[in-house]
Amino acid sequence: MGVFDPRAYWEERLERAKGLEGVGYVGLGHAFNTWMYRVRRHVFKRVVRSHVSFSREASVLDVGSGTGVYLRLWKELGALRISGCDITETAVARLGEELPDVDLFRMDISEGHTKLNGTYDAVSCMDVLFHVVEEDRFDRAIANLARALKPNGLLFISGNFPHRKTRSEEHFIIRGIERYETAIAAAGLQVLDRRPMFHLLNRPMDSDSRGLHRWWAFVERVCRASYKLGGLLGAAVYPLELLLVRSRKEGVSTEIMVCVRVHP
């Protein structure tokens, strides 16, 4: 087996499928992924609003912008100076046409860029770091995210942060919470907050509940039998999902973590 090439993987995936089919949960269809992203948007906006108050001069960077979901959310939240980057030329070109007022550039966060020079008040890196499969590049990615921030700047990242289980395939690796905390501290960051992003509408990676795993097996069967039925299932569960993720402090699936740059 050859060495995994993330840029080639994502260039091919985004060329093959536009929109949420290119960046979402593979195999569950556009309709179900649409409801997953509605949950992501809701939780991201709620968490960011609890930590950030924008001034006119504030600048933000979104890393791994893909289809531009979080670039648009930063706009909705009131950020005026927005930059975005992606590992692929495909995403940068598409977003350049769709969002001409956003400063866009190509970057592999595990390699770095001259623009990561401490000029951003906030940085988002959502569902990206588990695709950095090499450990030294993972540490470099966290360090680069920290380097992009001003002192006391905020970093928003999402992923599965399990306490016990880990999982890996060619194009992703689910690292435990302790691994993240070690890399975050080494980069001069401090964790401020961690909140659930999903409970029912994503795989329960950090739960031993048979009920939750049976539920997710049912979701996958429905979506793979009919993408339309998957969308209807997502729509039915969506209101309950928002209540569950708001009421829980500890997640069973994807979470959003907030860090602050405390050391230069």
Side-chain angles (χ1 to χ4, degrees):
M1 183 181 294
V3 176
F4 174 61
D5 183 342
R7 183 177 180 186
Y9 171 84
W10 285 106
E11 289 283 9
E12 192 275 334
R13 185 165 162 178
L14 291 176
E15 281 284 355
R16 187 175 68 246
K18 295 183 179 180
L20 299 184
E21 293 93 335
V23 297
Y25 200 119
V26 175
L28 299 188
H30 176 83
F32 188 84
N33 270 290
T34 295
W35 288 103
M36 292 182 77
Y37 269 89
R38 288 193 181 191
V39 176
R40 286 185 172 96
R41 291 184 183 99
H42 180 92
V43 175
F44 182 80
K45 290 169 73 172
R46 173 168 55 82
V47 172
V48 170
R49 282 177 175 143
S50 70
H51 288 279
V52 175
S53 178
F54 286 108
S55 66
R56 184 166 292 275
E57 294 78 25
S59 60
V60 302
L61 169 68
D62 179 58
V63 176
S65 295
T67 58
V69 169
Y70 294 97
L71 294 174
R72 294 179 178 90
L73 287 177
W74 280 120
K75 282 190 171 188
E76 292 177 25
L77 287 161
L80 298 179
R81 297 169 58 193
I82 305 172
S83 299
C85 63
D86 197 86
I87 195 172
T88 69
E89 294 287 0
T90 301
V92 172
R94 286 178 182 169
L95 290 172
E97 295 177 357
E98 297 170 10
L99 302 169
D101 55 338
V102 173
D103 175 29
L104 294 158
F105 56 98
R106 199 202 72 78
M107 179 186 68
D108 180 346
I109 189 59
S110 68
E111 293 178 353
H113 194 282
T114 55
K115 290 199 175 187
L116 304 182
N117 55 5
T119 58
Y120 297 103
D121 296 279
V123 173
S124 54
C125 185
M126 308 297 288
D127 293 336
V128 170
L129 292 172
F130 55 84
H131 290 296
V132 181
V133 298
E134 299 173 43
E135 293 303 324
D136 59 335
R137 296 177 77 90
F138 172 76
D139 288 319
R140 195 179 310 143
I142 297 286
N144 284 331
L145 291 168
R147 189 160 60 88
L149 289 166
K150 295 177 181 178
N152 298 315
L154 295 176
L155 171 65
F156 299 86
I157 61 175
S158 71
N160 290 278
F161 309 121
H163 292 83
R164 299 175 302 280
K165 303 173 183 176
T166 59
R167 181 185 173 205
S168 64
E169 293 185 15
E170 180 189 35
H171 65 286
F172 73 81
I173 178 169
I174 305 300
R175 297 175 176 90
I177 183 65
E178 291 183 359
R179 179 69 178 90
Y180 273 89
E181 290 173 343
T182 298
I184 285 166
L189 298 165
Q190 178 181 326
V191 177
L192 292 180
D193 198 4
R194 183 164 53 86
R195 296 288 173 176
M197 191 165 255
F198 291 103
H199 190 81
L200 295 175
L201 291 183
N202 205 348
R203 183 185 294 275
M205 299 284 287
D206 198 22
S207 174
D208 293 324
S209 167
R210 290 184 179 181
L212 281 176
H213 285 281
R214 286 171 179 164
W215 158 255
W216 186 248
F218 171 73
V219 170
E220 289 184 320
R221 286 197 302 272
V222 170
C223 290
R224 285 165 181 162
S226 167
Y227 287 164
K228 183 177 180 179
L229 286 177
L232 293 173
L233 180 62
V237 175
Y238 174 75
L240 176 60
E241 181 77 318
L242 295 187
L243 289 174
L244 289 170
V245 296
R246 180 181 284 272
S247 64
R248 281 166 165 74
K249 294 184 178 180
E250 186 69 33
V252 299
S253 182
T254 304
E255 297 178 304
I256 181 169
M257 181 185 290
V258 186
C259 305
V260 61
R261 183 179 177 183
V262 292
H263 299 297

